[in-house]
Amino acid sequence: MMLIRDVVQEAITTGYLSVAAEEQLRILLKTKYELEDFDAFMTLQEAASLGKIRQESRELRLCGQQVS
């Protein structure tokens, strides 16, 4: 079973969070997780808000808005 911290580490390493990884995080956050996973998720949130992580879902939304 994948852990939240694993998904976060991959996103931070690649600088990219895919839609599939976001969905995996949603699933994992609905289960019990350790403090280390919560801390990793908060790190990911901060990195995304600072623009250090590109989010596929956000890019898709922006493309859709530009087409309209």
Side-chain angles (χ1 to χ4, degrees):
M1 175 186 210
M2 188 168 250
L3 300 172
I4 293 169
R5 63 192 99 150
D6 297 332
V7 178
V8 169
Q9 185 58 49
E10 183 176 338
I12 289 174
T13 300
T14 63
Y16 190 75
L17 182 64
S18 69
V19 170
E22 283 187 48
E23 183 58 30
Q24 185 67 38
L25 285 171
R26 282 186 197 94
I27 292 167
L28 291 169
L29 287 166
K30 290 179 183 178
T31 64
K32 284 193 169 191
Y33 49 85
E34 296 178 12
L35 181 59
E36 186 176 346
D37 290 304
F38 179 75
D39 289 340
F41 181 72
M42 295 307 295
T43 299
L44 178 64
Q45 292 287 70
E46 181 179 18
S49 71
L50 295 173
K52 294 179 179 179
I53 302 288
R54 290 179 32 232
Q55 291 177 263
E56 182 180 19
S57 62
R58 187 168 286 174
E59 291 174 356
L60 291 172
R61 244 187 329 226
L62 289 173
C63 287
Q65 289 175 353
Q66 290 174 356
V67 172
S68 300

